[in-house]
Amino acid sequence: MEKRVLILASVASMIGQFNRDNISLLQEMGYKVDVACNFKNGSTFSEESAKQLKKELIEQGVRCFHVDFSRSPVQIGKHVQCYRTVKRLMLENQYLFCHCHSPIGGAIARIAGHATKTKIIYTAHGFHFFKGASVLNWAIYYPIELLLSYWTNCLITINKEDYYRAKYKFHVKKTVYIPGVGIDSNRFLNLGISREQKRQELGLSKEDIFVLSVGELNKNKNHEVVVRALAGLKGQNIVYMIAGEGNQREHLKTLAEENGVSLRLLGFREDICPLLEAADVFAFPSKREGLSVSVMEAMFMKKPVIASKIRGNIDLIKDGENGLLVYPNTVDAWEQGMNKMINTIGTYHLGEKKRLKSLEKKNINEKMMQIYKG
């Protein structure tokens, strides 16, 4: 009998960024894999990237199904239509299980799974309710997740706050903590370019202090607080670069110009490791995260990290040891933190082996294999 499983997410980027290893792992275990997501809209991938992902998955032997998921919770009619599509897929293919992701895609998959008696594994990439979240977020998302927990066979959480809340408040049959998708440490070897060469390529002098951030240019990623903080540190040759695209590009450029901050927006980049090699400090000011791959990459590259004191980041950064934690919306605290970080770079204990080993992709994949074995 054919062993077929479904990987489902609202958008293609969730498949491309967080599930390529899961798909390969399942195939190695002898499963036939189907993927269902929105390959056209609502993704942080460009349309071309989504098409390329679908092409690569098909070449890998994966069947791909486009489902017109919306990331807006108010488009009820569209959600009902997607539910019918997912339910039909489950009935037609009799999946041994469905591994689903993202709040709306995960909700629809779990409702369809309950209706079709399909086993459900759900990865929560950071609940929308957390310490410090708005009352509205708690009012909308918490009751939904509480209800859907009855229809979830295994819940994977990627940070400790979500894990303890789910374990003691929800009704999932099994709750597991796995720190993200893991990091392949081999990526940080043989970069093909030295720190000096990369800095030269970026037009940096030896005196320049290079602060790097990675993430979408949007309100949640909160790059604005770093720009405002750096406005108070003039005269230190600080160059701030952000790798990422988003709707705040023009706003950040204008803000930097008004405050005399040297800001360079690098757009989407595939050379994050060489950029980290060239950087002096990694800044991660997000207001909300599940568990940041960018922070983990900076840790593996042994860069001091200044990050917002939020869920997920506090699992990775030990304040005063391998970085600094600062409340996300306090410009004065960021200014003081940035100043301290820049002037005491050599005092941080970077690349602590035990912590990095727990984040290795090999260890994460072993844990995922045990979950898939059931």
Side-chain angles (χ1 to χ4, degrees):
M1 180 180 172
E2 183 179 71
K3 298 196 302 180
R4 187 168 291 278
V5 299
L6 176 66
I7 301 283
L8 180 147
S10 293
V11 293
S13 58
M14 184 66 75
I15 301 297
Q17 293 173 340
F18 300 109
N19 280 282
R20 296 300 296 268
D21 282 339
N22 288 336
I23 292 168
S24 297
L25 180 63
L26 285 164
Q27 289 180 323
E28 289 170 11
M29 295 173 69
Y31 292 102
K32 302 289 186 181
V33 181
D34 290 356
V35 163
C37 69
N38 190 328
F39 282 102
K40 296 179 181 178
N41 300 309
S43 173
T44 56
F45 273 16
S46 66
E47 185 176 348
E48 188 58 38
S49 295
K51 286 181 180 178
Q52 181 63 28
L53 171 66
K54 187 173 183 180
K55 179 176 180 290
E56 290 174 2
L57 289 173
I58 292 171
E59 290 173 352
Q60 192 177 335
V62 175
R63 295 196 310 189
C64 297
F65 297 95
H66 171 74
V67 182
D68 197 23
F69 289 115
S70 167
R71 299 175 80 177
S72 170
V74 299
Q75 291 190 301
I76 305 301
K78 184 167 280 191
H79 299 329
V80 171
Q81 184 181 9
C82 291
Y83 163 75
R84 289 171 178 160
T85 302
V86 173
K87 181 181 177 182
R88 176 177 52 78
L89 281 173
M90 289 179 172
L91 288 172
E92 289 178 355
N93 294 287
Q94 295 294 301
Y95 297 114
L96 293 179
F97 61 82
C98 168
H99 184 182
C100 57
H101 306 257
S102 50
I104 290 174
I108 290 171
R110 283 178 284 176
I111 296 169
H114 176 68
T116 61
K117 295 182 171 55
T118 302
K119 179 181 176 181
I120 297 292
I121 300 168
Y122 174 54
T123 295
H125 294 265
F127 290 129
H128 280 47
F129 45 90
F130 52 91
K131 292 176 184 176
S134 69
V135 173
L136 184 62
N137 274 31
W138 278 93
I140 294 173
Y141 293 103
Y142 183 81
I144 292 172
E145 287 293 341
L146 182 63
L147 173 63
L148 292 174
S149 70
Y150 286 98
W151 302 340
T152 308
N153 298 87
C154 179
L155 172 62
I156 301 170
T157 57
I158 65 173
N159 61 68
K160 291 177 182 176
E161 181 183 327
D162 286 353
Y163 171 73
Y164 288 115
R165 181 168 290 115
K167 185 174 178 65
Y168 295 110
K169 298 294 184 181
F170 289 177
H171 305 278
V172 181
K173 293 178 181 178
K174 182 179 181 181
T175 304
V176 181
Y177 164 65
I178 296 180
V181 294
I183 296 292
D184 181 5
S185 58
N186 292 323
R187 288 178 52 217
F188 308 101
L189 304 174
N190 303 318
L191 297 179
I193 189 169
S194 69
R195 170 181 167 84
E196 291 72 23
Q197 288 172 322
K198 192 64 180 178
R199 287 177 70 90
Q200 187 176 7
E201 178 187 298
L202 293 168
L204 296 168
S205 70
K206 290 183 179 180
E207 291 74 28
D208 286 331
I209 299 166
F210 174 17
V211 178
L212 174 68
S213 290
V214 176
E216 284 185 73
L217 308 182
N218 60 33
K219 287 186 177 181
N220 178 59
K221 294 300 182 182
N222 198 31
H223 303 296
E224 178 175 330
V225 77
V226 179
V227 175
R228 293 190 182 278
L230 292 178
L233 300 178
K234 293 172 183 174
Q236 297 198 49
N237 295 329
I238 300 171
V239 180
Y240 183 34
M241 300 190 196
I242 308 172
E245 290 285 3
N247 58 20
Q248 283 211 316
R249 168 175 280 272
E250 293 306 316
H251 169 67
L252 290 169
K253 284 172 63 177
T254 301
L255 184 68
E257 289 170 5
E258 291 174 349
N259 286 276
V261 173
S262 177
L263 172 68
R264 288 173 57 186
L265 302 177
L266 304 176
F268 176 77
R269 301 289 291 229
E270 295 184 342
D271 59 341
I272 299 301
C273 291
L275 285 172
L276 282 166
E277 176 69 11
D280 297 296
V281 173
F282 184 76
F284 193 77
S286 282
K287 297 178 181 179
R288 175 180 61 82
E289 290 290 333
L291 193 74
S292 169
V293 172
S294 298
V295 172
M296 288 190 276
E297 289 174 335
M299 290 168 62
F300 271 82
M301 289 297 292
K302 300 187 178 181
K303 296 297 169 178
V305 177
I306 179 167
S308 47
K309 193 172 185 177
I310 59 170
R311 172 194 63 179
N313 289 353
I314 62 176
D315 296 349
L316 299 172
I317 302 300
K318 266 195 169 180
D319 201 8
E321 291 193 17
N322 64 334
L324 293 176
L325 292 168
V326 183
Y327 287 106
N329 295 317
T330 312
V331 175
D332 288 346
W334 272 89
E335 182 181 332
Q336 293 169 21
M338 293 293 297
N339 190 50
K340 180 180 179 181
M341 176 70 74
I342 288 166
N343 288 300
T344 57
I345 287 175
T347 65
Y348 296 97
H349 306 294
L350 307 174
E352 197 252 317
K353 288 184 179 179
K354 184 177 179 181
R355 191 174 306 172
L356 294 181
K357 186 176 180 180
S358 69
L359 302 174
E360 281 272 12
K361 192 177 289 290
K362 178 183 176 182
N363 294 327
I364 301 299
N365 286 345
E366 287 175 359
K367 292 179 180 180
M368 286 305 307
M369 183 180 291
Q370 294 305 312
I371 289 172
Y372 287 147
K373 286 180 178 177

